[in-house]
Amino acid sequence: MKLREINSYNKLRKFVEFPMELYRNDANYIPPLIQDELNVLSPKHNKAFKDARSRYWVVEDEGRIVGRIAGIIKPCDTDPSLMEARFGWLDFINNQEVLYHLLSAVEQWCLHEKIYSLKGPLGFNSFDRSGILVGGYNELPTMFGNYNYPYYAELLEAVGYKSKFHWVEYRIQVPKEIPKKFIKGAQTIRKRYGLKQVAIKNKNALRGYSEAIRMLINEAYQGISGFSEISQEQFAQLYQKFVQLIPRDYFSLIEDNTGELVGFGLVMPDLSKALKKMNGRFFPFGYWQLHRALKKSDTVDLLLIAVKPSFQHRGVHALIFEQIIPAVIRRGVLYVESTKELESNSDVRNLWGDFDHRQHKKSACFYRDLRSNSSIENLLSYK
C-alpha cells in the first residue's frame, strides 16, 4: 500500500475516474461528468478556491488505485473568520488499511494547519456531492447525491468517526391536480401578507433576479449544518451550469408588496438515467442524452426551496408549490425527488404530508475531533 498525493493533471484525471472502476458493475452508481469533476477540483476553474485550499491523495496497491480522498480547508460555515477542514471525494475498496491511509493524510494536514476537527464527506459548497449513504442502497441517486457501498459507514465508525447529522430524501408522487388545500392556502397567504408570484417571461428576466436569489439562499440557510455561503462568483458559475438548462416554469419567485424577494423554489428534470448512459463522458452521444432527459423526464429533482427568515412558518411554500405543480403536471411528470433535507428539519419534512410520499434514502455527515486520544488510538491500531 502506498499513499500518493496528486500533483499533475493526468493523475487528477485518474483520481476522478477511480469510482467508475470501483462501481463498474453497480446498477445504482451514477458517474458524474469527468470534465465537470476536473473543473470543480481545479483552482483555475472553481471560484470556491478564492477562499479555499485543497489537496488530493490516492492509495495504490501494486500501482492500482484502491482509494481516493480530497482534503479541503475553507472558511467556517458558522464563522467565516475561522477556517474549517473537510474531507470529500472519498471512495475506497473494502479495506480498513486503505481508509486509514486516506484519513491520516488529511488529518496530518489539518494538524499542521492547526485545525483540530474534520468532517465530511462535504464539497466546496452545498451543490457538490456530499454525505455517506447509510440507507437506500437499492435506490437510484439524484445527480446531487452520493452513492457508496454499505461498508463505508461501518469502516468510518470503526476508526472513531461519528455521524454529526443526517440527511433524508423522499420520493413524492405528483398529484393529478393541485390540492384544493394548497389553492385555498395560497389565496389566504397572498392576501394576508401582500405577496405575489413573479411572472418569469424569459431567462433574461430571471437573470435580473440572480443576485436577489443568491442573497435569499444565503440568508435562509445561514447556520444550517452542511451549508456553505455562496459567493457572487460561485453563484455565477452555478447559474451558468444549471439555470440555462431548466425550463423557466420550473422556477418560482415570490415577492412582497415592496418588491423584495421573500421566497424561491426550483426543480429540474432528473438527469440520473442520462448520466448513467453517458458514463462520465459528454462525447460522442452525451449531448443527445441530456437533451432528451431535459425535454422528457417522468421525475424532477427539487433542488431548492428558500424562504426569507421573517416569512418562514407563514405558508409561503404554498405559493411556491402553486406556481410549480401545474408546470410538472403539464409536462407529464410523475415523481419529485426531494434531494437532501436535514433529518432534524421538521418544517421541511412536513411539507410532504399532503402528498403520497416515502422516505427512501438516508445519508450522514461524519465528524472526528482530532484532539481525541481515543480516536487517535483507534486509527493508530490499524497502522
Side-chain angles (χ1 to χ4, degrees), residues 196-214:
K196 65 176 182 178
Q197 295 154 325
V198 178
I200 306 171
K201 297 180 180 180
N202 52 53
K203 293 292 178 65
N204 287 332
L206 182 64
R207 184 180 292 276
Y209 283 88
S210 61
E211 179 59 11
I213 292 172
R214 183 189 73 85

Side-chain angles (χ1 to χ4, degrees), residues 61-62 92 114 167 192 202 218 221 230 301 316 321 358:
D61 185 5
E62 297 183 351
F92 54 98
K114 295 182 171 53
W167 294 280
R192 180 179 298 168
N202 52 53
N218 285 339
Y221 285 83
I230 305 170
D301 297 338
V316 175
F321 288 157
R358 66 185 178 96

Side-chain angles (χ1 to χ4, degrees), residues 23-42:
Y23 295 98
R24 178 181 293 276
N25 299 314
D26 196 303
N28 290 318
Y29 173 70
I30 305 298
L33 291 173
I34 293 172
Q35 191 58 53
D36 277 0
E37 287 285 89
L38 289 169
N39 289 344
V40 169
L41 298 171
S42 168

Side-chain angles (χ1 to χ4, degrees), residues 133-243:
L133 193 67
V134 295
Y137 300 104
N138 295 322
E139 301 284 346
L140 195 68
T142 66
M143 66 178 293
F144 299 97
N146 252 350
Y147 177 80
N148 54 262
Y149 292 125
Y151 64 77
Y152 277 42
E154 296 170 8
L155 296 190
L156 275 166
E157 290 174 347
V159 296
Y161 279 77
K162 298 179 180 180
S163 57
K164 186 175 179 65
F165 53 83
H166 289 91
W167 294 280
V168 291
E169 298 180 56
Y170 292 87
R171 187 166 178 84
I172 304 137
Q173 187 167 333
V174 176
K176 294 182 179 180
E177 59 183 21
I178 306 177
K180 292 181 180 179
K181 177 181 178 179
F182 271 87
I183 296 176
K184 184 176 180 180
Q187 291 172 344
T188 301
I189 298 303
R190 187 184 296 110
K191 183 177 180 180
R192 180 179 298 168
Y193 300 112
L195 303 180
K196 65 176 182 178
Q197 295 154 325
V198 178
I200 306 171
K201 297 180 180 180
N202 52 53
K203 293 292 178 65
N204 287 332
L206 182 64
R207 184 180 292 276
Y209 283 88
S210 61
E211 179 59 11
I213 292 172
R214 183 189 73 85
M215 293 177 65
L216 176 62
I217 294 171
N218 285 339
E219 186 178 2
Y221 285 83
Q222 185 178 20
I224 293 180
S225 298
F227 175 75
S228 298
E229 184 170 303
I230 305 170
S231 69
Q232 288 181 318
E233 294 87 350
Q234 288 175 288
F235 190 78
Q237 284 189 315
L238 292 168
Y239 187 96
Q240 184 176 4
K241 184 176 181 180
F242 295 113
V243 173

Side-chain angles (χ1 to χ4, degrees), residues 267-285:
V267 301
M268 74 173 291
D270 177 66
L271 302 180
S272 294
K273 293 179 181 179
L275 289 170
K276 181 74 174 177
K277 293 177 181 178
M278 293 167 68
N279 198 32
R281 293 169 174 80
F282 201 83
F283 297 103
F285 304 113

